[in-house]
Amino acid sequence: MNTASSASDCVASWCADDDWCGVTCTMEVLGRKWNPVVVHRLLERDSLRFGELAEELGDVTNKVLSESLEDLEDRGVVERTVENEKPVRVRYSLTERGRSLEPVVGALEDWGEDHLADDC
Amino acid sequence: MNTASSASDCVASWCADDDWCGVTCTMEVLGRKWNPVVVHRLLERDSLRFGELAEELGDVTNKVLSESLEDLEDRGVVERTVENEKPVRVRYSLTERGRSLEPVVGALEDWGEDHLADDC
DNA sequence: CAGTATCCACAAGGATACTG
DNA sequence: CAGTATCCTTGTGGATACTG
């Protein structure tokens, strides 16, 4: 389980006017290990099922991916759609808010691509 | 956007040629709690001493800030300069590589600023 | 297929006190 | 001033097994 916001809360007074609060705010959404990658995949593929996502990410277990998706859903970034069929099917896609992360994830990707040679 | 993604070489075996590797790469640098904020401050102030940084960040202890700075130094993002004076003084600034993170941190900040009202 | 349920491990953050 | 040194707690992640 997880609460909406953990240790540092952007609404808290201690960071009210600080301009780096925006950075912290975004990191609460993208700070969890698989979150940025999940958003990245969904930006490209529009909609993916649980299994497809797991396969693309490669090294993630059901439990961890499930937690990551639940977290993103709670934060209004990802939308979960259950299709009533015999074998249950679930589609994951980005909400409007999720799609608004495109410039952020794009920047993360660009910088990373430019520095893969270095070390990472 | 680059949906095609030139799928550059990824050094880590576990993420071989996956195009989301760039995202992961960047997150290794900015994933640690205070790292993005430290970089953000240094982008604005150019150079800060340990105490100044601690004061600006507010809720960080000496130990944690120290670890964060060491991590950033190891990753070639931050540069540490010791000035030989009576009370030891140390200046922290960004390397060229660190300054190249400006678009990334800028994107993090912009998104966060636009969503502070929501929840974070 | 799309998850839960358990149990475990460990990095990292935090509190507090001390020092060259 | 700019850290270390300790010790403690917790959040995540991971492995494995099971299910509607």
Side-chain angles (χ1 to χ4, degrees):
Chain A
M1 45 172 113
N2 69 65
T3 46
S5 58
S6 45
S8 51
D9 195 336
C10 278
V11 195
S13 58
W14 60 269
C15 75
D17 301 319
D18 299 320
D19 52 1
W20 47 266
C21 186
V23 176
T24 306
C25 169
T26 308
M27 287 307 294
E28 287 211 12
V29 176
L30 298 180
R32 191 180 272 237
K33 183 166 181 179
W34 299 96
N35 284 19
V37 178
V38 166
V39 173
H40 180 242
R41 296 323 286 166
L42 290 176
L43 277 168
E44 291 195 332
R45 312 291 280 260
D46 231 57
S47 143
L48 287 168
R49 285 186 293 115
F50 187 85
E52 293 176 319
L53 220 27
E55 194 181 348
E56 296 227 30
L57 267 43
D59 254 1
V60 65
T61 64
N62 285 359
K63 190 205 122 196
V64 173
L65 176 55
S66 177
E67 286 169 346
S68 186
L69 286 167
E70 192 185 339
D71 179 52
L72 288 170
E73 203 188 342
D74 289 346
R75 295 180 190 282
V77 169
V78 156
E79 199 168 19
R80 185 169 175 274
T81 313
V82 181
E83 294 167 352
N84 273 336
E85 300 185 1
K86 286 85 151 282
V88 184
R89 274 164 187 281
V90 179
R91 288 186 318 128
Y92 287 96
S93 55
L94 294 176
T95 59
E96 184 56 40
R97 177 183 167 98
R99 263 174 264 125
S100 74
L101 281 166
E102 203 253 11
V104 182
V105 177
L108 289 173
E109 184 182 16
D110 291 344
W111 193 88
E113 297 272 310
D114 288 349
H115 293 80
L116 288 179
D118 298 5
D119 42 20
C120 279
Chain B
M1 259 297 94
N2 46 356
T3 37
S5 163
S6 50
S8 38
D9 331 289
C10 186
V11 193
S13 59
W14 58 267
C15 74
D17 294 319
D18 299 322
D19 52 1
W20 45 266
C21 185
V23 176
T24 307
C25 169
T26 308
M27 287 308 293
E28 286 210 14
V29 176
L30 298 180
R32 193 181 272 236
K33 184 166 180 179
W34 299 95
N35 284 19
V37 178
V38 166
V39 173
H40 182 242
R41 294 324 286 168
L42 290 175
L43 277 169
E44 291 196 332
R45 312 290 280 258
D46 232 55
S47 144
L48 287 169
R49 285 184 295 115
F50 187 86
E52 292 175 321
L53 220 26
E55 193 181 349
E56 296 227 28
L57 269 42
D59 254 2
V60 65
T61 64
N62 284 358
K63 190 205 123 197
V64 173
L65 176 56
S66 178
E67 286 170 347
S68 186
L69 286 166
E70 192 184 340
D71 179 53
L72 287 169
E73 202 188 344
D74 290 346
R75 295 180 190 281
V77 169
V78 156
E79 199 169 20
R80 185 169 175 275
T81 312
V82 181
E83 294 168 351
N84 273 336
E85 301 185 1
K86 287 86 151 283
V88 185
R89 274 163 187 281
V90 180
R91 287 187 318 127
Y92 287 97
S93 56
L94 294 175
T95 59
E96 184 56 40
R97 178 183 165 95
R99 262 173 266 124
S100 74
L101 280 167
E102 204 254 9
V104 181
V105 177
L108 290 173
E109 183 182 16
D110 291 344
W111 193 89
E113 297 274 309
D114 288 349
H115 293 79
L116 288 178
D118 298 6
D119 43 18
C120 281

